[in-house]
Structures are given as structure tokens and as C-alpha cells.
Amino acid sequence: MQRYDLIKGILFVLGGCLLLGIGLLTDNALDSLLIGFAAGAIVPGIVMIGRYFYWNMPANKERYREKMENEQIELHDELKTKLRDRSGRYSYMIGIITVSASIVLFSILGKLGIISDPRTIILYLTAYLIFQIGIGIVLFRRLLKKYT
């Protein structure tokens, strides 16, 4: 593994400790969030550091090299690339359908009086839907220009 992986792990742990310190030393409404983010940074940081030392042990260097070779083969496999692209497109379409259905659902719940003010949720979901469609078009055009 590269030294960058070790540095990234150390930065995660330090950032998590900073968030933990802020969360424990201050008294505001964000304390629980800060402590949660701290745990969400410290644990992966420790895992990254552990992986760095595990894979850099002389006994594991050959296995790591084989693992990296297999990973490169998997990343550049044409069938798997097509399947990743297709699954990304399906996920994108399912996300758009879900957001559209949510807009309708929250509108109905608002009209029935189940939700007191659905306007904020509906506006957010509408903005997100427009963003999703827009970014999909922009990315498609950029990729088309790049590869043609």
C-alpha cells in the first residue's frame, strides 16, 4: 500500500478526534451530530491504518500485489464495465421515479391534512428532481464530447 493510505487514515482519525473534542467540550444542539461524525471518521481511519500495516508486512506483500492485479483486471473488464454503466443508469431512473412518486405522495398527504405543511418537502424534492435530470444531461453531453 502507498504511504498516502496511511496519511489518509491518520487524517481521518485526527479529524474525528477534533470533532469528538468539539462535541464533548461545547454545549449546543449539534453535540450528538458531532460525536456521530467523529465516530464515522475515527473508525474508518483506524481501519485504514490497520490495512496499511497489514498489507505492508513482508508476509503479505505478495498477496497484496496479486490482489491489486486482480482488481485492475476486474476494473477494466469490458462486460463488467458495461454492467456497471447499465446498473448506474437503472439506479438513476429508479431514483427519478422515486422522487417523482414522493412529490405526488407528499402532495396527497398535504391535501388530506396528514402533513401540516408539505410545501417545503415538495419544493425540495422538485428541486432535487430538476437537479438530477439536469446533471444527468450535463454528464451525458460531457462524456459524449469526450469520447467522440
Side-chain angles (χ1 to χ4, degrees):
M1 289 189 88
Q2 299 174 359
R3 187 170 300 274
Y4 171 75
D5 296 318
L6 175 63
I7 293 170
K8 189 167 66 170
I10 291 171
L11 289 175
F12 265 67
V13 170
L14 290 176
C17 289
L18 178 69
L19 289 172
L20 183 63
I22 293 170
L24 293 175
L25 296 176
T26 60
D27 187 29
N28 59 29
L30 299 178
D31 288 344
S32 60
L33 256 169
L34 289 172
I35 292 171
F37 285 140
I42 291 173
V43 172
I46 292 171
V47 170
M48 286 180 214
I49 293 169
R51 281 186 183 162
Y52 174 81
F53 286 113
Y54 176 78
W55 288 116
N56 281 328
M57 289 173 44
N60 297 327
K61 281 195 182 260
E62 183 62 30
R63 283 187 33 226
Y64 180 71
R65 188 186 59 74
E66 290 173 8
K67 178 183 171 195
M68 287 295 107
E69 285 177 8
N70 288 335
E71 196 171 293
Q72 287 300 317
I73 290 169
E74 293 289 323
L75 283 175
H76 298 296
D77 183 14
E78 291 176 19
L79 173 64
K80 291 189 178 176
T81 301
K82 281 188 140 197
L83 291 175
R84 276 193 300 269
D85 292 345
R86 184 158 297 173
S87 68
R89 170 139 174 84
Y90 290 157
S91 298
Y92 171 72
M93 295 307 296
I94 290 170
I96 287 178
I97 291 167
T98 303
V99 169
S100 300
S102 297
I103 291 170
V104 172
L105 177 71
F106 283 114
S107 296
I108 292 170
L109 291 175
K111 293 293 182 189
L112 293 175
I114 297 173
I115 297 177
S116 61
D117 187 23
R119 190 175 328 138
T120 307
I121 297 170
I122 293 169
L123 289 175
Y124 172 76
L125 289 173
T126 303
Y128 180 68
L129 178 65
I130 292 168
F131 171 76
Q132 278 288 100
I133 292 170
I135 199 71
I137 292 169
V138 167
L139 290 175
F140 176 77
R141 288 184 180 162
R142 269 201 158 158
L143 290 172
L144 186 64
K145 189 182 290 184
K146 180 179 179 180
Y147 291 109
T148 57

